[in-house]
Amino acid sequence: MKILKWGFIGCGEVVETKSGPAFSEVEGSSVAAVMSRSEQRARTYAVRHGIARWYIDAQELIDDPDVNAVYIATPPSSHATFAIMAMKAGKPCYVEKPLAASYEDCARINRVSEQTGVPCFVAYYRRYLPYFQRVKEIVESGRLGRILNVQVRYTEPVRRSDEELLAQGKLSWRLQPEIAGGGYFYDMAPHQLDLLQHMFGVILEARGIRANRGGYYDAEDSVSACFSFENGLPGSGSWCFAAHETAREDCIEIIGSEGLLSFSVFDYKPIRLLTGSGEEAISVPNPPYVQFPIIKTVIEHLQGLAVCTCTSVSATPVNWAMDRILGKF
């Protein structure tokens, strides 16, 4: 069995709560080093998690002979740079979503992966969570009949952490398009769009209207979109990130000729299935570390024990659709 020794580029909140510990819970996998631009953050994370080495330079981590795979958990604008550095060094990488801050950067990653033969995986971990696998099973079971339409609705208030930063004249990186790719749409919508493409195929047409209605920052805070999948299925979406608390919503509805399926993407509320036979509420628990199932599959793929389909190539259509919706090309 191939032993994977991971190097983490970035050690923020996502690594702490959703992904980091999972790398050491899979047989034949451990964390050898961690990197952050902040010396204190890198050292503190390494000490707290018993990691042997820490760096403040990504190239040094990639060049570490004990590191043979790289996890990239930095803001999207640096994903392409670090992924390409890792692949050119012959080291597979696992990249946080979205794959990059633009479709063009995704294409660059894919070209290098093809040229080097080194795989690049993307953290669209919801594909592998039991909750969403149950959603996919229901869709594929035929209980909804012919799928006619898909609708995405996501609404939330301005986040308290952002209000505090704005009051200090500061701005979260997630609200800086040059770093994040857009506003919160570019941060939240990828999970929703990836799930839908995982179920219905690639989005071949997409367009949207974006606006800033709240006036708290410059990036878009309201987006409406329509799109269609390769099988001809039409869909629409509405996102608002500056609403009143009473408007909060996290919902995808799949409308079929024989019923309706409704589920959340971030709240994991019970899946709601309505058919002529009545209504069902289906609760599906997820593991403590939500990225564990996909990380396990990535590791087993690299060990030759499984196949992970969540590659950079499969993730790229998400960026294409988002860039089209935001009018980036």
Side-chain angles (χ1 to χ4, degrees):
M1 175 188 292
K2 181 178 181 179
I3 303 300
L4 276 300
K5 295 182 179 181
W6 292 88
F8 290 179
I9 299 179
C11 50
E13 181 183 358
V14 169
V15 181
E16 191 73 57
T17 62
K18 294 183 178 182
S19 60
F23 287 89
S24 299
E25 291 191 3
V26 180
E27 185 179 358
S29 173
S30 63
V31 183
V34 63
M35 172 267 168
S36 173
R37 291 182 301 174
S38 165
E39 179 178 339
Q40 181 179 0
R41 176 176 291 181
R43 186 195 315 112
T44 300
Y45 186 93
V47 170
R48 191 167 64 251
H49 294 278
I51 299 170
R53 290 178 300 286
W54 53 269
Y55 298 97
I56 58 172
D57 182 89
Q59 189 66 63
E60 289 185 8
L61 178 138
I62 291 170
D63 290 341
D64 186 327
D66 281 343
V67 170
N68 60 8
V70 178
Y71 171 37
I72 299 166
T74 57
S77 61
S78 59
H79 287 182
T81 297
F82 293 144
I84 290 170
M85 286 166 59
M87 290 186 291
K88 286 188 173 181
K91 301 184 179 184
C93 51
Y94 175 69
V95 184
E96 271 302 326
K97 65 83 206 168
L99 174 57
S102 70
Y103 169 71
E104 290 183 354
D105 274 354
C106 293
R108 290 174 55 217
I109 291 171
N110 290 332
R111 282 196 297 271
V112 174
S113 181
E114 182 178 9
Q115 290 166 358
T116 60
V118 178
C120 175
F121 304 96
V122 185
Y124 283 122
Y125 59 87
R126 282 173 168 81
R127 294 191 199 180
Y128 289 84
L129 283 179
Y131 180 97
F132 299 105
Q133 290 184 333
R134 184 73 177 104
V135 169
K136 193 169 186 288
E137 287 172 5
I138 294 171
V139 171
E140 293 176 346
S141 72
R143 297 180 67 184
L144 296 175
R146 179 175 172 79
I147 306 301
L148 305 174
N149 195 277
V150 176
Q151 298 177 4
V152 181
R153 297 192 301 276
Y154 187 85
T155 306
E156 68 173 350
V158 175
R159 301 181 185 187
R160 186 178 300 276
S161 58
D162 288 326
E163 288 183 321
E164 294 171 353
L165 286 173
L166 289 164
Q168 301 170 34
K170 301 177 182 178
L171 200 61
S172 164
W173 65 261
R174 288 182 171 87
L175 296 174
Q176 300 179 52
E178 67 276 13
I179 298 176
Y184 275 116
F185 172 77
Y186 224 85
D187 186 52
M188 305 297 282
H191 279 303
Q192 297 159 322
L193 295 175
D194 180 73
L195 281 170
L196 292 177
Q197 293 191 99
H198 185 53
M199 287 189 281
F200 302 117
V202 173
I203 291 174
L204 295 183
E205 183 179 3
R207 55 187 181 272
I209 297 173
R210 68 195 187 282
N212 184 297
R213 303 295 294 169
Y216 295 97
Y217 43 80
D218 292 334
E220 77 285 342
D221 60 20
S222 293
V223 177
S224 292
C226 57
F227 40 86
S228 63
F229 299 87
E230 59 184 306
N231 63 1
L233 175 67
S236 62
S238 176
W239 295 263
C240 182
F241 302 96
H244 188 266
E245 177 64 35
T246 54
R248 186 184 289 273
E249 186 174 20
D250 170 15
C251 179
I252 292 182
E253 290 185 344
I254 299 174
I255 301 165
S257 61
E258 302 295 332
L260 169 71
L261 185 66
S262 175
F263 61 98
S264 64
V265 175
F266 304 98
D267 294 339
Y268 307 116
K269 294 176 181 176
I271 300 163
R272 185 166 166 256
L273 174 63
L274 291 87
T275 64
S277 302
E279 179 176 345
E280 295 179 48
I282 305 165
S283 296
V284 182
N286 286 319
Y289 297 113
V290 290
Q291 291 204 32
F292 178 82
I294 188 173
I295 288 171
K296 182 175 185 290
T297 307
V298 167
I299 290 168
E300 291 178 347
H301 180 117
L302 295 173
Q303 294 171 333
L305 303 174
V307 175
C308 180
T309 60
C310 202
T311 63
S312 60
V313 172
S314 77
T316 294
V318 173
N319 284 77
W320 182 89
M322 291 194 300
D323 284 6
R324 293 287 291 186
I325 289 168
L326 293 183
K328 292 171 69 172
F329 65 85

